[in-house]
Amino acid sequence: MSGVSTHVLDTSTGRPATGVAVRLERDGHQVAAGRTDADGRWTALDGDATPAGAYRLLFATGEYFSGGSFHPQVVIDFTVHRPAEHHHVPLLLSPYGYTTYRGS
């Protein structure tokens, strides 16, 4: 299984971050866009080979927190080295900070 996915959790509420606008770019060009579902998940390129290269996930966190966020946008840059693998990039989010990691 290949593709790119994310799971956004709002650590200030202990709940999934529903409705966060997410955009996936490759080499500066938009590849996919959407919003997280009721479980805070979003998937792009599901089942498709994900070409090797530089990618960027952009999250509209200021919109999600209704303007009360220190970070109006979270940008996560990552590199795909193995196109056949699935690339899961979770985001743990609060109004004043965030963290991410390579998920499984």
Side-chain angles (χ1 to χ4, degrees):
M1 177 175 155
S2 59
V4 175
S5 63
T6 188
H7 188 193
V8 184
L9 299 172
D10 183 339
T11 60
S12 68
T13 63
R15 312 274 312 152
T18 302
V20 177
V22 184
R23 190 169 74 235
L24 177 66
E25 296 179 352
R26 178 172 185 255
D27 298 326
H29 300 284
Q30 182 173 306
V31 175
R35 292 189 178 271
T36 56
D37 64 14
D39 195 35
R41 296 179 184 274
W42 182 76
T43 301
L45 311 176
D46 190 27
D48 293 337
T50 307
Y55 287 81
R56 174 172 283 169
L57 276 169
L58 299 99
F59 300 85
T61 53
E63 174 188 295
Y64 170 74
F65 286 112
S66 301
S69 175
F70 182 71
H71 302 282
Q73 176 175 267
V74 170
V75 177
I76 302 171
D77 292 320
F78 63 99
T79 304
V80 170
H81 295 286
R82 295 179 186 90
E85 292 183 1
H86 184 79
H87 295 79
H88 185 62
V89 186
L91 177 64
L92 305 177
L93 184 63
S94 80
Y96 300 102
Y98 63 91
T99 190
T100 187
Y101 55 95
R102 166 81 193 259
S104 58

